[in-house]
Amino acid sequence: GANTDARLDSEKRSAFTQLYRCRDDRWFLLTILPQIQDKIWPTLARCLQRKDWLSDARYVDAATRHEHNRELTTGIQEAIASKDWSYWKKTFADNGITCGGVAKCHDQIDDEQVAAAGLLRDYTDASGKTVDSPVFISSVAKVPPGPAPEVGENSAEILGELDITAEELANLRALGVVA
């Protein structure tokens, strides 16, 4: 629910290194270094289906593109917003344009790198996955993750370890102190 638009100070960053929002509300970071911008510019314009920019006096070289960064950024935003992230990801990859998607939490479930690093574990009841604990203690097996206990489910056991009697526990429950 964060307003990511508030962080897009696009006037201070090059149109070639911006966060852009796709039609499907996915975001990606376009990352074209200054050293290759002149070389990649025609390819980018074609990918964005804006061949007309190649003859536009505002964008003929790096200096004029920089001078008209606001208009160029707005134009790229409009082009990107016309298609889904899956389209841009493939199109840019096929044309050697560097960009990377901004992942959402649910993207991690099937991510190859997350799986290879063993970052997620299945719950014991197969209801989903959770981030695995990064703590390893030699000669101690990790406890598999499971659903959290219900409120008060373990009160008697825990308070019993503190020598609270069943009668005292009943009084605490009656007073609403313990669930």
Side-chain angles (χ1 to χ4, degrees):
N3 179 4
T4 52
D5 291 328
R7 294 183 291 225
L8 293 178
D9 196 356
S10 59
E11 295 175 30
K12 294 182 181 176
R13 287 192 312 269
S14 165
F16 294 95
T17 55
Q18 292 275 356
L19 283 167
Y20 290 103
R21 184 190 321 224
C22 305
R23 179 176 63 192
D24 57 358
D25 201 33
R26 298 303 302 254
W27 291 79
F28 71 90
L29 178 63
L30 183 64
T31 309
I32 302 174
L33 298 175
Q35 299 86 336
I36 63 165
Q37 286 175 8
D38 281 334
K39 179 181 176 187
I40 205 78
W41 169 241
T43 304
L44 178 63
R46 282 191 291 278
C47 287
L48 297 171
Q49 299 172 352
R50 293 301 309 261
K51 291 179 188 175
D52 58 302
W53 285 350
L54 298 175
S55 59
D56 188 320
R58 298 174 299 171
Y59 309 135
V60 294
D61 58 32
T64 59
R65 285 191 298 274
H66 178 72
E67 185 179 331
H68 297 279
N69 187 61
R70 178 185 288 174
E71 299 99 312
L72 182 56
T73 299
T74 299
I76 294 174
Q77 286 170 339
E78 291 169 359
I80 297 297
S82 72
K83 300 204 183 321
D84 292 345
W85 165 235
S86 58
Y87 172 85
W88 294 117
K89 182 179 179 182
K90 180 176 180 355
T91 298
F92 289 156
D94 290 349
N95 287 280
I97 296 174
T98 306
C99 69
V102 177
K104 293 186 177 190
C105 288
H106 61 76
D107 295 336
Q108 307 311 317
I109 303 266
D110 299 316
D111 185 83
E112 288 180 40
Q113 185 173 0
V114 169
L119 298 177
L120 297 178
R121 287 187 71 179
D122 291 319
Y123 279 116
T124 54
D125 67 354
S127 64
K129 294 179 182 274
T130 188
V131 177
D132 193 15
S133 166
V135 178
F136 293 90
I137 301 172
S138 63
S139 72
V140 176
K142 280 190 176 186
V143 175
E150 295 295 323
V151 174
E153 182 178 333
N154 299 323
S155 295
E157 178 186 344
I158 293 168
L159 293 174
E161 291 174 8
L162 299 172
D163 296 325
I164 303 291
T165 66
E167 183 180 333
E168 290 172 313
L169 178 58
N171 287 335
L172 290 172
R173 283 189 169 144
L175 292 170
V177 175
V178 176

